[in-house]
Amino acid sequence: MKRAIFPGSFDPLTLGHYDIIQRGITLFDELIIAIGINAEKKYMFSLEERQRFISEAFDETPTIKVMTYEGLTVDFCKKIDAGFILRGLRNPGDFEFEKAIAHTNRKLSDIETVFLLTSSGKSYISSSIVRDVIRNGGDYTGLVPHTVRIK
């Protein structure tokens, strides 16, 4: 079985993430959306909210699961027997950053990183932009799946 993880903080899940997940699941038998927990980071949305946003967005796709983890991504991959890490690339800066991480992960393990380019109409969307729109009272609904709603 080809199992991959798509790691991130997903604070919140964006249409860019959604695009990569939808396209990524066609490459793997199972895709784990792995929400990393970093005690040093201040999140806009609670872990429970982020899990719900993702679970509800993909509730009709049984080959997608949502899990949380702490520590090194490659250690989590080994723990759940995932041979691949899926990452999305929006721009050349993402590539340089992700390339360094992929090389490090490959040095630490035999886990392969697979890169997908974000669809052109979504390449400008990032969680930090979405958070800024939300903080300033803007209409964020065109940047996130319908499951991401502020109450």
Side-chain angles (χ1 to χ4, degrees):
M1 172 190 273
K2 283 194 246 175
R3 177 179 289 139
I5 71 160
F6 183 49
S9 60
F10 305 103
D11 186 35
L13 178 71
T14 70
L15 288 179
H17 295 132
Y18 191 87
D19 170 63
I20 295 297
I21 294 165
Q22 282 190 306
R23 291 171 37 232
I25 195 58
T26 66
L27 303 173
F28 304 102
D29 300 312
E30 184 177 60
L31 184 58
I32 314 280
I33 312 307
I35 304 172
I37 300 170
N38 181 345
E40 304 294 312
K41 195 169 179 182
K42 296 279 187 196
Y43 297 104
M44 176 175 273
F45 296 95
S46 71
L47 179 60
E48 293 75 24
E49 287 173 307
R50 291 179 282 146
Q51 287 175 301
R52 183 176 46 80
F53 295 156
I54 299 166
S55 295
E56 288 178 3
F58 297 102
D59 64 351
E60 294 185 20
T61 311
T63 53
I64 294 176
K65 295 182 175 33
V66 182
M67 298 177 80
T68 62
Y69 76 101
E70 292 183 72
L72 293 176
T73 302
V74 292
D75 290 343
F76 179 66
C77 287
K78 290 174 190 173
K79 179 180 174 184
I80 65 165
D81 196 30
F84 303 90
I85 298 171
L86 177 64
R87 299 298 294 158
L89 300 174
R90 293 172 301 182
N91 55 51
D94 279 357
F95 175 73
E96 290 302 323
F97 177 76
E98 294 292 345
K99 180 177 75 166
I101 294 171
H103 284 311
T104 303
N105 286 341
R106 191 76 175 121
K107 184 85 170 164
L108 297 173
S109 70
D110 60 350
I111 295 163
E112 288 290 348
T113 301
V114 176
F115 297 109
L116 289 179
L117 298 176
T118 306
S119 297
S120 62
K122 296 171 183 66
S123 63
Y124 66 94
I125 303 171
S126 70
S127 291
S128 57
I129 288 173
V130 173
R131 289 191 305 271
D132 196 45
V133 170
I134 291 168
R135 268 190 220 97
N136 289 287
D139 181 7
Y140 63 93
T141 58
L143 305 172
V144 297
H146 72 280
T147 58
V148 178
R149 294 295 174 255
I150 300 172
K151 296 178 181 179

